[in-house]
Amino acid sequence: MEEQGEDKAYRWEGDYEKTWEALKEDETGSLQASIEAEINKAKKRRLQQRQRNVRLGMMRHLYVVVDLSQAMCDQDLKPNRAVAVLKALEIFSEKFFDQNPISQLGFVSTCAKRAEVLSDMSGSLQKHIKVLQDLGQKIIKTNAKHCTGEPSLQNSLELCAKSLKHMPSHTSKEILIVMGSLTTCDPGSIHDTITQIAKQSIRCSVIGLSAEVHICKYLAKSTKGTFGIILDESHFADLLTDHVPPPAEISPESSLIKMGFPHHVSPHESGKISLCMSRNTFTVGGYFCPQCQAKYSELPVQCVICALTLVSAPHLARSYHHFFPLPMFKEQEVPVGSSTCYSCCKPITTATYVCEQCAISFCMDCNAFIHETLHSCPGCIISTNHVHTTTNGVV
Amino acid sequence: MANEEERQLLVVIFDVNPVWWGIKSLQGQAQITKCLDCLLVFVNSYLMLRHDNKLAIIASHSTKSVFLYPAQESSHSPDPSKASISDQAGGDCRYEHFAKVDDSVTDKFKELMRDGCEKNDIRRDSLIAGSMAIALCYIHRMQIESQGNTKLNARILVIKAADDAASQYMSFMNVIFAAQKERVVVDACILGQDSGLLQQACDMTSGMYLKVPHQDAFLQYLLTAFLTEAELRKESLVLAQSSRPREVDYRAACFCHRSLVDVGFVCSVCLSIFCQFSPICSTCETAFKPPVLASKSRKKRRALPANGT
């Protein structure tokens, strides 16, 4: 259920909500169009809620705590909760690294009153996906035999906090807890842990799979995170996707981070063999750290020898669109006579969306595509008076 | 051979920058009409490979990007049903699909050249980021329409003449990332000077980048290199090798001097790059603490016990 305010009544105390009246059939009897309209409305609402002109935490260190306790053997998500959660987290990791290329992700699991690290904090997508897939396979094979006991919220929070304490202060530290159980078994007072975490300005969010637990809501509220309970699998994917864009920055620390931009040497250019630090084997060609000349096979990575963050310019450019979010297009009625979409030449039937800067109209699909994937209006790019407001820093 | 379940979609973006083509034809080095003929032969060969190959051609002018094929219904053209009847009644021996493509391209091209653009808007550099954005929207629409039946393999072939426009960097990078996400392969055929932006685009989407030395060989290059689809290129020794001939320089340029840096300082708020430490970021005006020199104090502490004992 959505988070309720303190002053709102419980749902059974309010009036009846006739939700069946929101769906309408079209002439063939199909509900598809009205379902799509609902989905689009929800998407639009989500996009509009994003604030503009707010400082964003670009470099993020996010720990995802996965509950692998007895409650996750429940089969209300197919095939069981644990496997469904791991699959959803794989998709989440891909989207996370797509939108935040210079951030790092780590996974922690909690079961049998303990917490342990599944996958260390790193920026390598393949490593995390492999760990998640192997764990998912193991759970399917053993039929969730080792998902036993109760989760421990305090142990997992302390484990993450201990690791996040060493992170530099200009990064945004976050913990995302996926909790399926209604209980937690803790060694000490969890309120002390929560105050300690809030003091370290770590942002905790909780996604619950069964019901609202007061301590989780209190944790999310004290650390300025979000709290949500899922309705079904697609709602779970939506709640996870809400954590993909960078959050508004709560800590005022900012600094100049020293970064290296290594040059790539291809195997054709030089046939010399050298040790690749990311794979621990000898390879030909790769990226050489400008400070210590250690070789790596892929970017972004943190040099293990001189601790310099190595990135390439497109990784930074991938985050630029967060600073200049494309404003929503105005929805208008289809003008008299047919009109075609500017970018895909499809005749527009439902509604046109007009960009306010260049006054060019698009169809609904192009509008969704432009805002979710492209992040630039084609009309604005083409019109000659459009000069981009950023200073271009790269060749 | 390609899977029976898959279809191909090729979107050709043809750069018709009037300044570049005008200069080249005055120098006698290149003619836009000849290039257009070569392009039509290439496109006909592509359509001949499989009956369900899909095609779109976009012309990229200084102020607009126009679909040369498929033809949009514009206010200039007469009633479309009458036009098609007269085409069929024309009765030349061309294959109907080729005739449709050729006629649509030549008619739209003539219209584009006739209308042109305002004198103030003519630019020396080519604005292909906008055309690529439109191409991606068209590919997205085609993917939605063919969903459920067959998988659509889409690629974009950019035929670029004039130089890069530096102001288009941000839009171009957004387009490249969108192409990467949609698994669209971007190929480039360069008639003029080398283009750093397209080199990055081809590298990031695993496409082919080719610079054509002189225009007479244009058709041959097109037919040899760009006719095969992206997945089959690794089967060919020649194409697999020439897919990545040169290394792309992904280094960044600092915001203060525009010089390429190996090690730079990045502002954590706005991600702007500087070559040396400065107390205030020039883009977002955040103040930074100067770096703490921790090593000197540690060395002093270590030296004292040694002297003392």
Side-chain angles (χ1 to χ4, degrees):
Chain A
M1 303 298 167
E2 296 300 320
E3 189 175 66
Q4 289 183 348
E6 296 297 312
D7 47 347
K8 264 210 232 155
Y10 286 109
R11 275 176 83 95
W12 61 82
E13 293 176 5
D15 293 330
Y16 283 125
E17 279 178 22
K18 301 202 177 89
T19 49
W20 57 88
E21 288 183 357
L23 295 178
K24 290 189 178 44
E25 287 184 1
D26 62 6
E27 54 267 9
T28 59
S30 124
L31 285 172
Q32 190 66 17
S34 57
I35 292 176
E36 277 174 15
E38 287 294 321
I39 294 175
N40 288 336
K41 231 189 288 178
K43 258 192 232 169
K44 229 190 299 177
R45 220 182 313 132
R46 231 197 341 252
L47 283 175
Q48 263 165 358
Q49 274 168 7
R50 208 158 291 159
Q51 304 152 315
R52 302 193 63 183
N53 297 328
V54 169
R55 189 186 282 191
L56 300 172
M58 282 288 137
M59 299 188 58
R60 305 166 68 185
H61 291 281
L62 172 64
Y63 263 113
V64 180
V65 176
V66 184
D67 174 14
L68 286 181
S69 61
Q70 184 69 33
M72 297 297 274
C73 303
D74 206 350
Q75 292 185 345
D76 54 359
L77 296 175
K78 301 299 174 212
N80 58 37
R81 279 184 185 174
V83 175
V85 163
L86 290 174
K87 271 241 155 45
L89 284 177
E90 278 175 44
I91 300 177
F92 167 74
S93 315
E94 277 181 32
K95 285 193 197 154
F96 181 80
F97 282 114
D98 180 56
Q99 296 276 322
N100 309 280
I102 47 179
S103 306
Q104 295 187 350
L105 194 55
F107 287 94
V108 167
S109 73
T110 167
C111 70
K113 305 172 199 166
R114 274 185 274 272
E116 59 175 9
V117 174
L118 276 180
S119 173
D120 279 321
M121 179 74 88
S122 89
S124 155
L125 175 64
Q126 279 82 16
K127 200 157 69 94
H128 293 311
I129 295 229
K130 189 161 185 316
V131 165
L132 290 174
Q133 277 177 347
D134 289 345
L135 185 59
Q137 297 288 339
K138 197 167 91 163
I139 292 181
I140 291 180
K141 273 206 198 116
T142 60
N143 207 11
K145 235 193 311 194
H146 73 286
C147 289
T148 52
E150 290 180 5
S152 172
L153 200 55
Q154 187 177 8
N155 282 339
S156 39
L157 284 177
E158 287 192 346
L159 181 64
C160 299
K162 206 166 42 171
S163 166
L164 286 173
K165 200 163 61 169
H166 300 294
M167 298 298 164
S169 56
H170 55 76
T171 55
S172 148
K173 298 179 260 231
E174 298 162 49
I175 301 178
L176 173 63
I177 306 176
V178 179
M179 190 83 161
S181 134
L182 295 171
T183 59
T184 167
C185 184
D186 299 327
S189 163
I190 194 165
H191 290 282
D192 292 342
T193 316
I194 294 181
T195 29
Q196 192 195 18
I197 286 190
K199 226 186 291 183
Q200 287 181 6
S201 51
I202 298 177
R203 193 170 176 270
C204 291
S205 306
V206 182
I207 297 181
L209 303 181
S210 35
E212 192 175 295
V213 178
H214 172 77
I215 193 64
C216 296
K217 193 166 170 187
Y218 174 70
L219 167 68
K221 216 161 134 196
S222 340
T223 54
K224 300 195 185 52
T226 56
F227 176 64
I229 305 281
I230 67 167
L231 295 171
D232 52 25
E233 284 189 16
S234 54
H235 189 222
F236 181 42
D238 282 343
L239 283 181
L240 274 182
T241 316
D242 278 343
H243 285 95
V244 167
E249 177 97 357
I250 48 175
S251 62
E253 296 276 341
S254 56
S255 55
L256 275 184
I257 313 156
K258 199 168 171 199
M259 284 194 185
F261 297 93
H263 184 56
H264 183 74
V265 175
S266 83
H268 304 294
E269 262 181 48
S270 82
K272 297 187 196 146
I273 296 179
S274 44
L275 176 64
C276 169
M277 303 302 290
S278 45
R279 290 192 203 154
N280 277 330
T281 53
F282 285 95
T283 53
V284 188
Y287 295 95
F288 287 90
C289 169
Q291 229 178 30
C292 65
Q293 306 303 324
K295 196 174 80 167
Y296 294 91
S297 55
E298 54 177 23
L299 294 181
V301 73
Q302 183 140 24
C303 180
V304 293
I305 298 182
C306 60
L308 183 65
T309 313
L310 301 174
V311 292
S312 72
H315 289 128
L316 293 181
R318 217 181 261 269
S319 307
Y320 285 154
H321 73 83
H322 292 300
F323 298 126
F324 306 101
L326 194 61
M328 299 297 298
F329 291 169
K330 223 170 25 166
E331 189 173 343
Q332 281 181 357
E333 289 295 319
V334 183
V336 178
S338 69
S339 71
T340 52
C341 169
Y342 178 74
S343 49
C344 68
C345 310
K346 195 171 67 163
I348 304 181
T349 47
T350 44
T352 54
Y353 292 83
V354 180
C355 167
E356 288 171 19
Q357 273 195 341
C358 57
I360 289 188
S361 45
F362 300 97
C363 66
M364 190 168 66
D365 293 327
C366 285
N367 179 42
F369 180 69
I370 287 171
H371 281 100
E372 284 167 24
T373 314
L374 202 50
H375 303 295
S376 304
C377 166
C380 295
I381 303 174
I382 291 175
S383 59
T384 41
N385 295 326
H386 174 74
V387 175
H388 216 283
T389 46
T390 52
T391 49
N392 300 314
V394 191
V395 173
Chain B
M1 277 305 286
N3 199 355
E4 284 302 318
E5 299 285 316
E6 293 176 1
R7 291 164 113 187
Q8 299 286 319
L9 167 60
L10 170 68
V11 181
V12 181
I13 298 179
F14 188 37
D15 177 17
V16 292
N17 182 280
V19 176
W20 191 89
W21 284 106
I23 294 178
K24 288 294 173 186
S25 73
L26 284 178
Q27 291 173 348
Q29 287 177 6
Q31 279 270 338
I32 195 170
T33 42
K34 283 200 192 139
C35 278
L36 199 62
D37 287 339
C38 295
L39 182 64
L40 286 176
V41 172
F42 165 71
V43 154
N44 287 349
S45 320
Y46 166 77
L47 289 172
M48 205 154 54
L49 283 178
R50 281 186 65 160
H51 73 281
D52 56 359
N53 273 351
K54 296 245 184 275
L55 173 73
I57 306 180
I58 301 176
S60 167
H61 201 62
S62 295
T63 50
K64 49 192 165 184
S65 291
V66 174
F67 271 90
L68 295 181
Y69 177 81
Q72 302 176 38
E73 291 173 13
S74 61
S75 48
H76 304 296
S77 67
D79 193 14
S81 56
K82 286 194 192 141
S84 60
I85 290 174
S86 64
D87 277 348
Q88 286 169 8
D92 53 5
C93 314
R94 292 183 293 169
Y95 171 44
E96 193 187 313
H97 198 24
F98 291 174
K100 205 162 64 166
V101 172
D102 292 352
D103 290 341
S104 162
V105 169
T106 37
D107 290 340
K108 283 281 175 188
F109 183 72
K110 280 184 203 159
E111 205 180 293
L112 178 65
M113 291 291 114
R114 201 173 43 223
D115 293 340
C117 59
E118 298 296 313
K119 221 196 297 191
N120 303 334
D121 295 335
I122 294 185
R123 304 177 62 124
R124 280 191 82 93
D125 36 24
S126 62
L127 305 172
I128 45 168
S131 314
M132 288 177 74
I134 287 188
L136 282 175
C137 290
Y138 183 80
I139 290 174
H140 180 72
R141 170 196 163 194
M142 285 290 134
Q143 279 175 341
I144 292 180
E145 283 176 9
S146 84
Q147 218 167 40
N149 298 339
T150 48
K151 194 174 122 180
L152 193 68
N153 280 336
R155 56 188 172 111
I156 298 180
L157 169 62
V158 181
I159 301 176
K160 191 158 177 300
D163 301 332
D164 280 339
S167 58
Q168 292 223 308
Y169 175 74
M170 272 312 305
S171 333
F172 200 82
M173 292 312 280
N174 280 340
V175 167
I176 297 178
F177 295 138
Q180 237 184 355
K181 210 178 192 185
E182 297 285 306
R183 311 255 169 100
V184 172
V185 175
V186 175
D187 299 320
C189 183
I190 311 292
L191 300 175
Q193 286 190 336
D194 270 326
S195 151
L197 290 177
L198 275 177
Q199 275 183 353
Q200 283 189 25
C202 297
D203 198 38
M204 287 164 74
T205 55
S206 21
M208 189 177 323
Y209 176 89
L210 194 64
K211 187 168 180 313
V212 176
H214 46 89
Q215 197 212 335
D216 298 339
F218 182 49
L219 178 58
Q220 192 162 2
Y221 277 107
L222 280 180
L223 288 175
T224 321
F226 295 112
L227 207 52
T228 41
E229 56 207 49
E231 288 170 1
L232 295 182
R233 281 182 202 157
K234 51 184 185 292
E235 311 288 340
S236 148
L237 286 174
V238 173
L239 293 182
Q241 254 182 15
S242 56
S243 279
R244 282 178 199 227
R246 59 188 69 77
E247 279 314 309
V248 184
D249 196 357
Y250 279 126
R251 281 180 299 168
C254 72
F255 278 46
C256 32
H257 308 113
R258 292 268 185 274
S259 51
L260 293 176
V261 290
D262 273 332
V263 178
F265 291 91
V266 175
C267 167
S268 62
V269 175
C270 63
L271 296 184
S272 24
I273 307 165
F274 302 103
C275 49
Q276 56 204 7
F277 181 82
S278 75
I280 295 193
C281 168
S282 53
T283 325
C284 64
E285 290 166 17
T286 337
F288 303 119
K289 292 184 292 212
V292 179
L293 296 169
S295 54
K296 278 188 186 165
S297 52
R298 247 186 258 145
K299 276 186 197 158
K300 278 184 190 156
R301 277 192 220 135
R302 274 198 207 131
L304 277 176
N307 286 339
T309 50

